[in-house]
Amino acid sequence: MIPFTYFISDLHLSAQRDDINQCLFTFLRDQAPQADALYVLGDLFEIWIGDDDENCFTLSIAKAFKTLRESGVPVYFIHGNRDFLIRQRFAKKAGFTLLPEQVVIDLYGVPTLIMHGDELCTKDTDYQAFRKKARSWWWPKIILSMPLSTRRKLAQKGRATSKQKQSMLSDEIMDVTPQEVTNQMQQFSVKRLIHGHTHRPAIHDLILNDQPAQRIVLGDWYEQGSILKVSEDGIDLTSMNL
Ligand code: MN
């Protein structure tokens, strides 16, 4: 078998969608153990208000990942816009290695930039302002020092406002800004980018500095069960068709 690496993102797991959780358990048990590594590119959870918000559901997810990790498959995690408050305590339970927001990895000889992808949607200026605050050192500190019940209320309020706003934003705003894709890829000197967030699974062929380049977008799991497999031989973006 040719060595390969798996990428998943935007599972948006919650206790309410056990069908998706079961899909993940099956994937982690039957498919993932054959991989060199598994990368989770953010929005694993629908919402995350702190590692102290522990329950049967979060523990069952952590355990499934940890079992994979203990079988010898490294599991890397990049935060999404829903679960950016995941910290070392949960990471340890799940066997995750937390990565920075953007990182270049060597994928069978190809330097590849990986990220969640929300940073590419620069036309949503309100969201980018919130993102800047949410990723600062001080804002999470303040939020995480609040009691769980307060954080739960704040999260509910935040989701309601964001849902209302999303319905008013056009598709164009919610997708990536092509210029920002170019900027990021040039900044990191890569010809390949992998991200999620937009729920628009695709392999885009680009031209960057007169050379062929690629942007691979993972889909979500609510509708698509999107899995990306990368090996020396190429790229395979599939859907489990949930
Ligand atoms: Mn997202």
Side-chain angles (χ1 to χ4, degrees):
M1 193 172 54
I2 305 161
F4 67 90
T5 298
Y6 272 134
F7 295 83
I8 55 174
S9 79
D10 302 277
L11 286 83
H12 293 265
L13 301 178
S14 75
Q16 284 75 46
R17 284 292 299 266
D18 196 49
D19 51 336
I20 312 288
N21 303 337
Q22 294 306 324
C23 263
L24 174 67
F25 296 149
T26 308
F27 168 74
L28 294 178
R29 191 192 61 216
D30 298 344
Q31 287 176 261
Q34 280 100 55
D36 285 338
L38 169 65
Y39 287 84
V40 182
L41 301 187
D43 286 359
L44 171 62
F45 292 101
E46 174 71 4
I47 187 128
W48 195 262
I49 57 172
D51 291 4
D52 52 343
D53 186 23
E54 219 173 63
N55 52 56
C56 296
F57 156 66
T58 61
L59 288 173
S60 68
I61 302 296
K63 195 175 154 226
F65 277 106
K66 183 84 170 195
T67 305
L68 176 68
R69 178 70 194 93
E70 281 169 351
S71 79
V73 181
V75 184
Y76 300 98
F77 182 84
I78 293 185
H79 295 95
N81 53 300
R82 304 291 192 98
D83 49 18
F84 59 88
L85 287 176
I86 285 181
R87 292 291 178 268
Q88 222 33 265
R89 173 171 157 185
F90 180 78
K92 227 176 146 189
K93 285 204 168 121
F96 286 172
T97 302
L98 298 180
L99 295 180
E101 292 171 47
Q102 293 106 15
V103 59
V104 177
I105 57 169
D106 182 323
L107 261 184
Y108 309 103
V110 182
T112 304
L113 174 61
I114 57 172
M115 59 176 68
H116 178 57
D118 52 328
E119 56 267 74
L120 300 170
C121 305
T122 53
K123 283 186 185 159
D124 193 347
T125 49
D126 283 355
Y127 169 69
Q128 291 303 331
F130 169 74
R131 188 184 196 279
K132 206 174 161 196
K133 188 173 71 173
R135 303 301 184 107
S136 69
W137 64 269
W138 57 271
W139 192 84
K141 244 192 167 134
I142 295 171
I143 296 295
L144 291 173
S145 69
M146 293 173 177
L148 254 178
S149 56
T150 312
R151 274 179 269 157
R152 217 166 265 141
K153 273 184 209 138
L154 279 175
Q156 270 166 7
K157 241 171 97 184
R159 285 311 304 151
T161 320
S162 139
K163 269 209 178 112
Q164 206 183 0
K165 269 199 62 205
Q166 261 172 29
S167 56
M168 293 188 301
L169 291 172
S170 72
D171 266 11
E172 199 200 358
I173 292 176
M174 298 311 289
D175 203 355
V176 301
T177 310
Q179 186 57 50
E180 187 58 20
V181 170
T182 309
N183 292 349
Q184 294 267 359
M185 291 181 81
Q186 275 173 343
Q187 190 193 328
F188 287 95
S189 309
V190 293
K191 299 273 177 307
R192 187 155 76 187
L193 165 65
I194 300 175
H195 71 85
H197 181 64
T198 61
H199 300 197
R200 289 172 168 85
I203 300 174
H204 299 278
D205 290 312
L206 319 164
I207 299 291
L208 205 69
N209 301 331
D210 297 325
Q211 281 178 22
Q214 245 176 357
R215 177 170 70 95
I216 303 149
V217 189
L218 287 157
D220 68 288
W221 274 46
Y222 258 47
E223 286 158 9
Q224 298 155 342
S226 192
I227 296 169
L228 173 69
K229 189 172 167 179
V230 180
S231 72
E232 233 170 51
D233 266 13
I235 287 157
D236 189 17
L237 181 62
T238 55
S239 168
M240 291 192 289
N241 287 318
L242 302 174

